Amino acid sequence: MTVVSTVEEVRKQVKEWRRQGLTVGLVPTMGYLHEGHASLIAASHRDNDKTVVSDFVNPIQFGPSEDLESYPRDIEHDKKLAEQNGADLIFHPEPEEMYHEGFSTHVDMDVLTKELCGLSRPGHFRGVCTVVTKLFNIVKPDRAYFGKKDAQQLAVIKHMVNDLNMDIEIIGCPIIREADGLAKSSRNTYLNEQERKAALILSRSISLGIDMVRNGETDAHRITDMMKDEIAKEPLAKADYVKIVDCETMQQIPTLDRPALCAIAVYINNKVRLIDNFFTEDI
Ligand code: AMP
């Protein structure tokens, strides 16, 4: 496995693979890799001849008061985990390599990005769509892998690829969790012991919602109200949103009469914002 930091090096390697008739999968990440990322890399390794992992904390998807500076980084650990799971190339650029002086073109999206995380994080999806488009143009993969953990991001990317006729198959992969249920996230490292315990309220509330759907509940508000009540029981937790939306348009729906996404974002100790979700189709 090789680690490169320039667009030119990625292009050279991918061109060589293409010359040999090989297929290429891309796994975009912000690094500090855990088993969630590992599952995406392993899926790409299974489906493609070669796998590229991008490892880049994308500054333009962070808001001014967000955690860009403190976001955890550990490229040596990332190299090991990526290689163990079948990565062939890591693209680890400096911000200047991705955003040269005078950079002024962005990819933006209406509707889907104005809900859920888009409401609390204005500009976030503009940054995501822009960096993912750049990565797609740099790597030109056959397939790209995204986690269902970031369900809105997955829907936005699928929508973008369709809108802009990008010839790339987007694969959504299941959420990987800790043994006690907490969805794996690089941001879990921000939690102290007490906050880590409190964070279990996310998966507990998700399980409650899943149980209600399993038991035949179709009233979206009844489900989200119960989930909000559950979150309110944890003194360190404050819900940002608990919503049920159409899983393609991300628009809220009152009744579970079509494939839906139930998504939550919760602040732990007014400090760390964590997300979790379930798709009704996966139940
Ligand atoms: P990030 O490094 O947080 O930007 O995540 C990179 C990719 O890994 C995204 O497609 C995420 O949805 C995915 N991912 C992060 N955490 C998990 C998880 N717990 N399970 C599955 N995929 C995940």
Side-chain angles (χ1 to χ4, degrees):
M1 192 193 68
T2 330
V3 182
V4 298
S5 60
T6 65
V7 172
E8 198 186 330
E9 288 168 297
V10 178
R11 289 216 160 118
K12 196 167 157 225
Q13 177 62 83
V14 174
K15 245 182 218 158
E16 175 53 27
W17 288 336
R18 291 292 183 202
R19 207 185 52 74
Q20 297 169 26
L22 303 175
T23 58
V24 178
L26 170 66
V27 181
T29 82
M30 296 209 299
Y32 211 69
L33 304 184
H34 50 65
E35 282 100 273
H37 301 109
S39 73
L40 270 52
I41 298 169
S44 172
H45 181 58
R46 185 190 60 216
D47 298 346
N48 303 279
D49 298 316
K50 297 290 178 186
T51 290
V52 179
V53 176
S54 61
D55 188 312
F56 177 58
V57 181
N58 176 35
I60 68 165
Q61 71 186 66
F62 288 78
S65 59
E66 292 185 353
D67 55 343
L68 173 61
E69 294 311 322
S70 55
Y71 197 85
R73 295 156 165 91
D74 187 349
I75 186 68
E76 291 309 318
H77 160 82
D78 291 353
K79 280 186 207 168
K80 281 193 211 116
L81 191 134
E83 184 157 35
Q84 279 162 9
N85 286 278
D88 298 282
L89 183 73
I90 295 188
F91 177 41
H92 181 53
E94 292 298 324
E96 300 73 40
E97 178 69 8
M98 292 296 275
Y99 302 110
H100 55 80
E101 217 187 307
F103 180 89
S104 57
T105 307
H106 294 85
V107 180
D108 210 348
M109 186 183 296
D110 307 322
V111 190
L112 271 80
T113 61
K114 305 291 180 266
E115 261 294 342
L116 307 175
C117 289
L119 286 175
S120 347
R121 306 186 69 188
H124 170 68
F125 287 112
R126 182 180 192 250
V128 169
C129 288
T130 302
V131 79
V132 170
T133 299
K134 284 173 69 70
L135 291 168
F136 285 178
N137 284 334
I138 293 163
V139 178
K140 299 201 191 81
D142 298 281
R143 299 181 189 86
Y145 295 77
F146 294 85
K148 289 184 177 180
K149 158 88 186 341
D150 299 271
Q152 185 176 18
Q153 170 173 278
L154 175 61
V156 164
I157 299 298
K158 280 184 177 168
H159 199 86
M160 176 182 85
V161 161
N162 188 47
D163 279 355
L164 300 183
N165 308 100
M166 295 172 165
D167 192 13
I168 296 169
E169 190 183 349
I170 304 300
I171 317 278
C173 301
I175 300 178
I176 305 297
R177 297 178 179 280
E178 303 285 355
D180 60 7
L182 180 67
K184 293 207 181 238
S185 165
S186 310
R187 289 192 167 98
N188 291 348
T189 52
Y190 297 149
L191 302 166
N192 66 29
E193 205 182 322
Q194 193 193 12
E195 293 160 350
R196 171 68 182 74
K197 246 190 209 156
L200 285 176
I201 197 64
L202 281 98
S203 50
R204 224 180 289 141
S205 137
I206 288 294
S207 298
L208 179 72
I210 291 174
D211 283 346
M212 290 181 78
V213 175
R214 279 209 183 111
N215 290 330
E217 182 60 77
T218 56
D219 184 321
H221 286 295
R222 223 175 282 159
I223 298 168
T224 51
D225 283 350
M226 288 289 280
M227 292 171 68
K228 282 179 198 164
D229 288 349
E230 185 67 17
I231 294 167
K233 287 182 194 159
E234 170 50 62
L236 285 186
K238 198 176 99 213
D240 176 10
Y241 64 73
V242 178
K243 284 184 183 168
I244 293 184
V245 298
D246 177 295
C247 72
E248 278 182 21
T249 65
M250 299 289 110
Q251 303 305 296
Q252 262 186 279
I253 52 173
T255 312
L256 297 191
D257 54 2
R258 69 197 94 169
L261 164 71
C262 175
I264 67 176
V266 178
Y267 288 100
I268 302 296
N269 214 4
N270 286 320
K271 190 175 88 176
V272 187
R273 185 176 173 280
L274 299 176
I275 57 173
D276 204 341
N277 68 73
F278 67 91
F279 285 86
T280 54
E281 279 191 322
D282 291 338
I283 294 179

